[in-house]
Amino acid sequence: MNKKFYITTTLPYVNADPHIGFALEIVQADAVARYHKLLGKEVVFNFGTDEHGQKIYQKAIEEKKDPQKYCDEYAIKFDNLKKALNLSYTNFIRTTDPKHIEAVHEFWSRCNKNGDIYKKNYKQKYCVGCELEKTDSELVDDKCPLHLNRDIEIIEEENYFFRFSKYQKPLLNFYEKNPKFVIPEFRFNEIKTFVKSGLQDFSISRLKSKMPWGIDVPDDPDSIVFVWFDALTNYISTLGWPKDKENFENFWPGIQVAGKDNLRQQTAIWQAMLMSAGLPNSKQVFIHGFITVNGQKISKSLGNVINPFDLVNKYGTDAVRYYLLAKINPYEDSDFTKEKFEDIFNSDLANGLGNLVSRIAKLCETSGFEFESKEIDEFDENISKSLNEFRFDEAIKVIFEKYITALDQKINKEEPWKLQGKDLEVFLKDAVRVIRTISSNLSPFLPETAEKIEEQFKGPKIKSGSPLFPRLK
């Protein structure tokens, strides 16, 4: 078994505060990272901020701030997610970091040396919100369907281009040899259809005179590297590439987690860029859906943006993690409402997990028995299977159905408060074993709660404590 494991999220743009949609992605990646650490692997878990590009430059100017100062302020906000969501990431990469800039220059030079970069004049419709060129077929009433509040811009200038078209066959061959490269399968089919339909070379630079916020193109101080070409390189610059060859080779290729709006960039564009630079392709890409709020897309203009810090402050870290992992479909879009969140908090966490732990702890305390502490090394194979498919909801469902609900039913059936002596001791020993198993298997998802349960039930004397999740009124 490979003892090294690498997972990375995408890098959010620093043009707005963190919202619940990105909290979903980082918590999903965190659960996978924690699981592989449990398996005894050395884990590198990458997160960070994407700090170049037109919309960030526009936002900084709008706020009358130096772009670097503006990025510094927002990078802190995203790094604060580590404490709020109890994240275990090891690396926080910023695309303004000197080592990242150095890696972008080297990456550009390798693609250029391979004959995949050339210069031409062009005119193209462009969505600043996506930071992507758009064809007429991708627009609705001449607007990007993902950014209906923004006008499409027309870019007309001389830029450097990447020979994306050259990589149609290599990409399709790679997909065929790696049938699990993109999860879920329907997203994989989507990108295969896109690549089969033919690839167009795309612009990878901007004129500095028009948009100065970015990394200089090597040997051309009048041009800057296009934001996507720059940002995607973070997945390897964070590993020390190109200087730290040993660390790079130990951990790359890795697993990438991204939203469905990133499908093309992560699974086709980045993969072609890696081929051009002569580097190994990513190991796997998991594509998740969006979170909607009361059935509507999250949007500042609609005023329905949900701040994860506010949720954590009100309900606690693990309650937020639980909802994101257990109740959001990992593959499809899912809805969030405050009412649904609070109902699930009470039913699953307060009445379910929390109440079960309280009942068993109280019975142990009043019985006076001592319980031998045994480590639970084995992770439930059904949970492992679900996690390997990024089905966080199904993994947690196993914990609830196989352990929590089953033990609740056993309590109701055997009525241990009526048992005495050896019968009670046998019942409680089995119950404590189940509680410890719940704690062990819950640790990638609700690490703080798992730690509390483990501490409470380590024995030899087990005492009751305050509720894990006090019921909401």
Side-chain angles (χ1 to χ4, degrees):
M1 182 179 75
N2 185 2
K3 285 291 185 179
K4 309 283 187 184
F5 180 79
Y6 174 48
I7 188 166
T8 178
T9 65
T10 55
L11 302 189
Y13 284 118
V14 292
N15 65 321
D17 290 341
H19 63 71
I20 193 72
F22 193 77
L24 169 69
E25 182 172 314
I26 192 77
V27 167
Q28 287 174 332
D30 184 69
V32 175
R34 286 178 181 275
Y35 165 63
H36 282 273
K37 196 169 182 181
L38 276 179
L39 297 179
K41 297 180 184 179
E42 183 183 352
V43 173
V44 169
F45 173 15
N46 181 55
F47 172 50
T49 44
D50 186 351
E51 301 182 11
H52 292 130
Q54 192 170 348
K55 64 181 176 182
I56 290 168
Y57 180 68
Q58 288 176 349
K59 193 74 178 175
I61 298 305
E62 184 185 308
E63 295 190 14
K64 297 181 172 58
K65 291 178 180 175
D66 172 75
Q68 184 63 63
K69 187 171 182 295
Y70 171 87
C71 290
D72 291 345
E73 291 172 4
Y74 271 83
I76 292 169
K77 293 182 182 183
F78 280 93
D79 201 14
N80 286 341
L81 286 172
K82 186 166 195 174
K83 183 179 179 182
L85 295 170
N86 194 5
L87 303 170
S88 61
Y89 58 80
T90 57
N91 295 25
F92 188 87
I93 185 78
R94 298 178 58 185
T95 57
T96 51
D97 287 344
K99 69 174 183 179
H100 174 76
I101 294 169
E102 184 181 351
V104 170
H105 284 158
E106 174 63 20
F107 199 96
W108 178 289
S109 298
R110 290 194 182 198
C111 295
N112 190 35
K113 192 176 179 181
N114 199 26
D116 290 336
I117 294 177
Y118 64 96
K119 213 172 187 183
K120 75 168 185 178
N121 286 302
Y122 87 119
K123 183 177 181 181
Q124 181 70 49
K125 292 180 177 180
Y126 187 78
C127 172
V128 175
C130 293
E131 294 279 16
L132 281 176
E133 296 155 8
K134 297 289 178 177
T135 61
D136 287 336
S137 64
E138 293 175 298
L139 303 176
V140 177
D141 296 329
D142 211 36
K143 287 185 180 287
C144 170
L146 293 175
H147 299 94
L148 293 170
N149 60 329
R150 286 180 177 267
D151 290 332
I152 287 292
E153 296 193 5
I154 305 296
I155 292 179
E156 190 170 7
E157 59 187 44
E158 185 181 45
N159 287 166
Y160 292 94
F161 275 71
F162 178 71
R163 293 189 197 277
F164 194 32
S165 57
K166 173 180 167 182
Y167 290 93
Q168 181 184 24
K169 284 187 178 179
L171 281 170
L172 292 174
N173 290 338
F174 173 70
Y175 297 155
E176 189 176 347
K177 289 175 185 174
N178 298 273
K180 284 281 197 177
F181 177 62
V182 179
I183 289 181
E185 188 178 11
F186 71 90
R187 295 292 181 204
F188 201 8
N189 291 335
E190 198 178 314
I191 198 62
K192 283 189 271 192
T193 300
F194 168 76
V195 174
K196 283 174 186 173
S197 68
L199 301 177
Q200 301 296 316
D201 296 351
F202 59 88
S203 167
I204 56 169
S205 73
R206 293 290 181 266
L207 288 176
K208 189 186 275 191
S209 59
K210 292 184 179 179
M211 215 292 288
W213 183 237
I215 298 172
D216 284 354
V217 168
D219 303 317
D220 186 350
D222 296 327
S223 299
I224 60 160
V225 178
F226 172 57
V227 64
W228 275 108
F229 200 90
D230 152 14
L232 289 165
T233 312
N234 92 86
Y235 302 132
I236 58 174
S237 68
T238 192
L239 296 173
W241 185 89
K243 280 189 171 178
D244 194 341
K245 188 178 178 184
E246 183 182 358
N247 195 58
F248 172 71
E249 291 179 351
N250 277 338
F251 287 97
W252 187 260
I255 290 175
Q256 294 171 215
V257 181
K260 65 179 186 179
D261 56 336
N262 261 259
L263 176 67
R264 188 185 307 178
Q265 297 91 309
Q266 309 299 328
T267 65
I269 291 174
W270 172 231
Q271 304 311 316
M273 286 167 57
L274 286 165
M275 290 174 179
S276 175
L279 297 172
N281 287 98
S282 307
K283 184 177 180 181
Q284 192 174 50
V285 183
F286 163 57
I287 302 290
H288 61 80
F290 288 161
I291 293 181
T292 55
V293 176
N294 292 306
Q296 293 182 304
K297 184 179 182 290
I298 293 175
S299 164
K300 279 194 294 182
S301 59
L302 292 173
N304 65 351
V305 175
I306 293 177
N307 185 316
F309 296 105
D310 294 341
L311 280 182
V312 166
N313 288 337
K314 186 170 183 180
Y315 303 105
T317 296
D318 276 1
V320 176
R321 287 178 66 107
Y322 179 78
Y323 190 92
L324 293 175
L325 294 169
K327 301 303 172 181
I328 298 294
N329 187 311
Y331 295 176
E332 306 278 3
D333 292 356
S334 294
D335 199 47
F336 176 98
T337 68
K338 180 189 172 188
E339 294 73 24
K340 195 185 297 182
F341 182 94
E342 292 190 345
D343 284 347
I344 285 164
F345 182 103
N346 281 332
S347 63
D348 291 14
L349 299 177
N351 296 348
L353 173 62
N355 187 50
L356 176 68
V357 169
S358 293
R359 291 173 85 184
I360 298 300
K362 188 67 176 174
L363 283 166
C364 290
E365 184 179 55
T366 55
S367 76
F369 293 134
E370 293 191 356
F371 300 89
E372 184 184 352
S373 178
K374 287 186 178 178
E375 293 294 324
I376 305 293
D377 296 320
E378 290 296 317
F379 207 71
D380 189 295
E381 61 180 13
N382 292 311
I383 298 172
S384 295
K385 187 168 179 274
S386 295
L387 270 175
N388 289 333
E389 295 289 328
F390 304 95
R391 290 302 313 225
F392 310 98
D393 52 344
E394 291 180 357
I396 294 176
K397 190 178 179 183
V398 170
I399 298 172
F400 270 74
E401 290 184 353
K402 187 174 176 180
Y403 301 105
I404 297 172
T405 303
L407 184 52
D408 262 331
Q409 290 171 346
K410 186 178 180 184
I411 293 171
N412 294 335
K413 182 183 177 183
E414 298 190 21
E415 300 180 323
W417 53 90
K418 294 181 179 178
L419 300 175
Q420 292 181 345
K422 193 69 178 174
D423 291 339
L424 178 58
E425 186 177 7
V426 169
F427 178 91
L428 288 179
K429 277 185 176 177
D430 184 58
V432 168
R433 180 190 58 78
V434 173
I435 294 291
R436 287 174 179 161
T437 302
I438 290 168
S439 168
S440 176
N441 285 280
L442 206 57
S443 59
F445 313 105
L446 309 185
E448 187 181 327
T449 301
E451 194 176 320
K452 286 179 182 176
I453 296 171
E454 184 184 348
E455 180 64 26
Q456 187 177 8
F457 281 82
K458 69 181 180 181
K461 290 283 189 182
I462 295 171
K463 295 181 179 179
S464 56
S466 55
L468 291 173
F469 298 96
R471 185 174 169 79
L472 301 174
K473 305 296 184 186

